[in-house]
Amino acid sequence: MGIKIQRVRAQDTYTLRHQVMWPDKPEEFVQLPNDQNGVHLGLLKEGEVISVVSLFVTDKHGQFRKFATKTSEQGNGYGSLLLKHLMNMARNEKIETLWCNARADKAGFYERFGMTQTPKRFIRESVHYVVMEKTFV
């Protein structure tokens, strides 16, 4: 079976989002009010969803959110594969700017994909974030 990246339903991302991002909160905490408007991608390994990301596009600007990889699979390159796929999809869809609210301690990961830190920073639930972006034009 191997590795496969495909579109999934929003609800197919909730369990992994919850387990990886906010396990101490109720699962509803990782659900977004506009999830029905997003494009949700899942990376499947042997049929199991082990990495997810959601893309929301407004005009020519895309924000990806809720990017999570199963804890036991982190460090194996699956998140990198999914992010590369997302960036190629953004280019193909003529998205001009792709951005995210990155956990500040993960900024280096995103920089490896050509994303840059903006001056915008904030704290949510005691977690420090930096807004990062990549321009395709």
Side-chain angles (χ1 to χ4, degrees), residues 67-80:
F67 181 27
T69 300
K70 187 175 179 179
T71 306
S72 63
E73 298 288 355
Q74 290 178 6
N76 293 324
Y78 299 121
S80 294

Side-chain angles (χ1 to χ4, degrees), residues 4-81:
K4 179 175 164 181
I5 296 173
Q6 65 185 36
R7 286 188 181 204
V8 296
R9 300 172 305 159
Q11 56 265 40
D12 296 331
T13 69
Y14 296 158
T15 299
L16 193 56
R17 286 178 182 180
H18 180 245
Q19 289 171 349
V20 174
M21 303 178 92
W22 298 103
D24 58 329
K25 302 282 185 190
E27 187 174 285
E28 293 76 29
F29 191 77
V30 299
Q31 298 174 16
L32 301 170
N34 64 337
D35 262 334
Q36 71 282 359
N37 300 325
V39 173
H40 309 280
L41 298 174
L43 183 143
L44 288 74
K45 176 183 175 187
E46 306 299 330
E48 177 190 2
V49 177
I50 62 164
S51 190
V52 294
V53 68
S54 300
L55 176 66
F56 301 88
V57 180
T58 305
D59 298 319
K60 296 286 184 182
H61 306 283
Q63 178 188 18
F64 66 91
R65 302 185 67 183
K66 305 300 181 192
F67 181 27
T69 300
K70 187 175 179 179
T71 306
S72 63
E73 298 288 355
Q74 290 178 6
N76 293 324
Y78 299 121
S80 294
L81 283 174

Side-chain angles (χ1 to χ4, degrees), residues 77-92:
Y78 299 121
S80 294
L81 283 174
L82 188 56
L83 187 55
K84 285 177 191 174
H85 182 90
L86 177 73
M87 288 185 170
N88 286 333
M89 190 175 89
R91 269 190 214 92
N92 292 338

